[in-house]
Amino acid sequence: MIKAVRRPVNEENDHKRRWLILANVSLGTFMATLDGSIANVALPTISAEIQSPLHIVQWVLTAYLLTICATLPIIGKLSDMIGRGKVYNFGFLIFTVGSAGCGLSESLGALIAARIIQAIGASCLMSNSQAIVAETFGEKGRGRAMGITGTVVSIGSLTGPGIGGLLVGSLGWPSIFWINIPIGLIAFVAGWYILPKDKSQKEKKPFDYVGSSLFIIGMVSFLYTVSNAEYWGWSSTQTIAFGGFALLAFLVFYLWEQRTAFPMLDFSLYHIPAFAIGNIAALLSFISLFCTNVMMPFYMQNVLHYTPSLTGYTMMAYPLMMAIVAPISGWLSDSIGSSWLTTGGLFINALGFALLNTLTIDESPWIIALHLAVFGLGGGMFQSPNNSSVMGSVPKPKLGTAGGLNALVRNIGMVLGISFSVSLFSFQMNRLAGHVDINEAVTGQDQVYMLQSLHTVFWAAMGVCLVGALISSFRLKKKRGGHC
């Protein structure tokens, strides 16, 4: 009788602990993604108070993103070597120290340096969150848990400007960083007791310093080129030089990783069909979706002449719908698999882009919100099952590396989507009107030209989305063949 009683109690405790771990991971994911966008609205205020031009202050955002992209796979590899829970939890501490540095900064250089420290902490959180969830939840519960973390990523990324605006307006720009400190410290202490105490590898392997350095050089050069190519010109000497240098660095990195005994990046992961297909589909999904994140606010403010607050409320239709759909799709993926949900989600996103091309120069906020809700539906259907499929396909000892690469794909997709949409819009606007200023409201014929340029971007994004859906559909064939 005693044994019969103890087993359910232990199972109940394990169940509660799993959800406490998920809550801690979700908090870290929210903080890391929130701080990628919360500073956007504070840039004009920071520029005025620090007395630096806005295009220089922009590095407060750029340095954060570049650091995350450059360090994600490296920290993922380190996590597999010394313990994912340990690295993740210290990520809270590093993030908190960086946030305090940001709040105390009185010069732009100090603020950017503190943002780099903050980004390293965020990278520790991002690279391990999915790995910890995948390890904590079994195959039956993993999709549901990934659905919740996917919702948190969406909410964190898209609510940053709104929360930042309230804090900056009420308490000043340092408040957007000070708010992280009590949250980060509480999460660190809670994680110390809650997170799994995974052990480091028994067999100590040397760290690939050469490969890590080459990857950082290549990634920073690549993202710096993509971020500035629109201003330099895609055929300019600077773009060609920096782009060529980035490609050379990546080539040397690949050759080094192939010959070294203990590579930083395990390319064998891409021999796993579900991992490779999921990552490529995710990259194309984020490239296409960030065309809406960038272009729709300009459409609403500069073509429809909405106020910034009305634009913000209208844009919330996307994350709200995703917050509803993502946990449901994650739960469904535990029962029916991820293949149909991911492919169907991308097709719905493609339909969303087709619907955006029916918009005119006179639309109500409710109509715009309904269009954006379509992307919340498609994104929610795709993201959670795709993450579950990717993380469920790799061996347990490589979950940290896989989580880092999965987060890297998301961040690179965001950067490419922003650059792609702005460049295509500018090219089309120049061709039609002979000038372009995406930051100014327009009237008359320029409204028509701007709308036509936006439609060009949306058609192109639809094409990218359809390619992603086609690649994702390969999972259906693999599933029928019994390999995925």
Side-chain angles (χ1 to χ4, degrees), residues 391-413:
M391 298 304 293
S393 68
V394 300
K396 185 177 178 180
K398 296 181 179 179
L399 280 172
T401 301
L405 290 173
N406 203 24
L408 175 65
V409 162
R410 180 176 71 241
N411 282 276
I412 291 178

Side-chain angles (χ1 to χ4, degrees), residues 166-188:
L166 291 173
L167 289 172
V168 172
S170 303
L171 302 171
W173 70 263
S175 63
I176 65 176
F177 303 113
W178 286 119
I179 194 174
N180 294 325
I181 294 175
I183 299 173
L185 290 175
I186 292 170
F188 172 74

Side-chain angles (χ1 to χ4, degrees), residues 45-254:
T45 305
I46 295 173
S47 177
E49 292 191 13
I50 296 182
Q51 296 182 342
S52 293
L54 193 56
H55 71 278
I56 301 297
V57 175
Q58 186 74 25
W59 273 95
V60 172
L61 303 180
T62 305
Y64 185 83
L65 183 61
L66 286 179
T67 302
I68 287 176
C69 289
T71 57
L72 273 170
I74 297 168
I75 291 177
K77 178 66 174 180
L78 281 171
S79 301
D80 286 335
M81 294 173 65
I82 65 178
R84 285 180 282 277
K86 188 185 301 181
V87 173
Y88 176 87
N89 208 35
F90 275 103
F92 276 121
L93 207 56
I94 297 169
F95 190 88
T96 302
V97 170
S99 297
C102 291
L104 292 169
S105 297
E106 295 182 357
S107 68
L108 183 60
L111 180 57
I112 291 173
R115 282 285 278 177
I116 291 173
I117 296 172
Q118 195 186 38
I120 293 171
S123 191
C124 292
L125 298 171
M126 286 184 181
S127 62
N128 288 288
S129 58
Q130 292 179 357
I132 291 172
V133 170
E135 191 172 4
T136 302
F137 288 81
E139 186 176 345
K140 292 183 178 180
R142 187 175 59 234
R144 185 182 178 189
M146 289 290 185
I148 293 172
T149 57
T151 300
V152 171
V153 168
S154 174
I155 294 173
S157 299
L158 296 172
T159 57
I163 295 174
L166 291 173
L167 289 172
V168 172
S170 303
L171 302 171
W173 70 263
S175 63
I176 65 176
F177 303 113
W178 286 119
I179 194 174
N180 294 325
I181 294 175
I183 299 173
L185 290 175
I186 292 170
F188 172 74
V189 173
W192 192 264
Y193 295 99
I194 295 171
L195 292 175
K197 301 296 187 289
D198 44 3
K199 298 178 180 179
S200 58
Q201 293 177 350
K202 293 181 180 179
E203 182 185 351
K204 294 293 182 181
K205 298 179 181 179
F207 184 71
D208 183 13
Y209 292 101
V210 174
S212 299
S213 300
L214 288 168
F215 180 82
I216 289 174
I217 292 169
M219 184 56 64
V220 170
S221 301
F222 170 69
L223 293 178
Y224 183 75
T225 303
V226 170
S227 299
N228 289 282
E230 173 57 30
Y231 304 102
W232 295 339
W234 285 94
S235 59
S236 68
T237 303
Q238 296 101 310
T239 301
I240 294 171
F242 274 97
F245 179 76
L247 291 176
L248 178 62
F250 279 134
L251 176 61
V252 175
F253 166 71
Y254 176 77

Side-chain angles (χ1 to χ4, degrees), residues 323-374:
I324 296 170
V325 174
I328 298 173
S329 68
W331 174 72
L332 282 173
S333 71
D334 291 332
S335 304
I336 64 175
S338 62
S339 303
W340 287 103
L341 291 166
T342 53
T343 305
L346 289 173
F347 273 119
I348 288 174
N349 283 342
L351 173 63
F353 283 114
L355 291 173
L356 288 183
N357 284 298
T358 65
L359 297 176
T360 66
I361 60 174
D362 183 21
E363 300 287 355
S364 74
W366 287 106
I367 294 296
I368 306 296
L370 288 173
H371 282 71
L372 291 174
V374 173

Side-chain angles (χ1 to χ4, degrees), residues 7-17:
R7 186 177 177 184
V9 170
N10 289 337
E11 288 179 357
E12 184 178 351
N13 289 337
D14 288 342
H15 179 76
K16 288 180 179 178
R17 185 167 179 269

